[in-house]
Amino acid sequence: MRVPLVRTFALMSMLAALAACHRDAPLSATTFELHDAWVRATPDSGSTTAAYIRFVNGTADTVWVSRFSSDDAATVELHQSSDVAGEMHMAMLDSLAVAPNHSVTMRPGGYHLMLIGATHALVPGSMVRIVMHLSNGAVVSTSARVKS
Amino acid sequence: MQRFVPGSLSRNAAALLAASCFVVLAGGCRPASFHGTAYEPPEVAPSVVLQRANGGKFSLADQHGSVVLLYFGYTHCPDVCPTTLSDWKRVKEGLGRDASRVRFVFISVDPDRDDPVTLQHFVSRFDPDFIGATADSATLAGIERSFHVNSSREESTSAGGYSVTHPSQTFVVDKSGNLRLLYSFGMQTSDMVSDIRQLLRGA
């Protein structure tokens, strides 16, 4: 997927620096891409589960990702689990910053999307479409594979 | 009456020493080496008595002869609790027939939302042999204190309601009822299988 470059703001750069500890290794891509999306299966309509996506920002600017949604869940929220001295905490976030030329990988125990109120059973092998807004105004989506 | 034979004691001792060395070299007397964080020395596990969905009780004291994995979580937890149960499922598969001597116990620390039936339904999604059990708030608080852990309700504007901060580790109790290991979140399941097999062998 290709999206236009976003403008760099001083505040965003500062916040991106703060988020540096979450970044993966530098990349060679030149676009903003979504990879390896998956959702944990849930057999119950109305239940809550989690989805995970790898965000790859090959552009020269920080991209902020927010306002997640899916036709397969009543609500999709961005959360972060963190293990602090043996205690697992969870916090809800407004948006996720992906620094220029870096990636952020959602994974169990870290960033994740909370799919609240599944509209139907999410069975392994099926796909869930997740929509999100980028800070440059683009609305993008990815198909997440349901896994057990 | 046996006669004392000079030198026989030292010969017997030497034979015993040689036999001991053989056993040590064969690995039988090596101190156990675990992937998880070991309790050194092991501690007698606290009393844990919980309600089960079938109306019965789960008592840790009744599990002697089995290795028991204990985790404190809640069913509205979308990320780490299902991941832990999914990991346990892989552990159980890795253990094969040995899994019949292992109990996987998920303790809800959210008694306001998790009644025993809801809880058992949640854990059975991963494996029907997994045990979901809980208790009233006061009993849970006592159990948590005895394990030196805490859980706390965190209010949130999330559509999923409040979250619960809870211990991230899995506690492992050996066949004799001693706390032996702690597993951090994300531990390799193959390493857990290896450790549990050692404990089943009596390490």
Side-chain angles (χ1 to χ4, degrees), chain B:
Chain B
M1 179 187 290
Q2 285 188 320
R3 288 174 54 199
F4 175 70
V5 179
S8 64
L9 188 64
S10 60
R11 278 199 298 275
N12 291 344
L16 188 63
L17 182 64
S20 301
C21 288
F22 175 78
V23 170
V24 169
L25 287 171
C29 288
R30 264 195 321 222
S33 172
F34 295 109
H35 298 282
T37 304
Y39 281 80
E40 291 292 352
E43 295 177 12
V44 174
S47 170
V48 176
V49 179
L50 300 160
Q51 294 287 338
R52 296 195 59 183
N54 60 9
K57 290 194 184 302
F58 169 86
S59 174
L60 187 56
D62 293 341
Q63 309 305 318
H64 280 218
S66 297
V67 169
V68 183
L69 274 63
L70 293 169
Y71 188 79
F72 297 89
Y74 65 114
T75 69
H76 282 64
C77 162
D79 179 37
V80 296
C81 303
T83 301
T84 297
L85 288 164
S86 183
D87 286 349
W88 283 7
K89 183 180 177 182
R90 277 194 285 278
V91 169
K92 185 167 181 268
E93 288 165 357
L95 285 166
R97 293 169 64 179
D98 288 337
S100 64
R101 292 186 291 149
V102 180
R103 302 284 174 268
F104 298 86
V105 184
F106 185 94
I107 303 171
S108 172
V109 290
D110 185 13
D112 291 343
R113 290 187 294 197
D114 293 341
D115 59 72
V117 173
T118 304
L119 182 56
Q120 188 59 51
H121 181 68
F122 176 72
V123 300
S124 294
R125 277 167 43 186
F126 299 88
D127 191 290
D129 290 336
F130 288 175
I131 297 167
T134 189
D136 59 75
S137 300
T139 303
L140 285 170
I143 292 170
E144 289 178 39
R145 270 196 304 277
S146 64
F147 279 84
H148 308 290
V149 297
N150 288 302
S151 65
S152 55
R153 178 171 163 155
E154 308 291 339
E155 297 306 329
S156 169
T157 56
S158 167
Y162 64 86
S163 64
V164 180
T165 294
H166 59 101
S168 60
Q169 314 97 327
T170 292
F171 293 84
V172 185
V173 178
D174 70 14
K175 294 187 298 180
S176 302
N178 296 309
L179 269 173
R180 294 296 299 275
L181 298 172
L182 269 180
Y183 287 135
S184 301
F185 177 76
M187 183 87 184
Q188 290 290 318
T189 54
S190 56
D191 290 344
M192 294 166 75
V193 169
S194 167
D195 285 359
I196 292 166
R197 283 221 162 98
Q198 281 197 73
L199 292 175
L200 287 171
R201 286 196 298 267

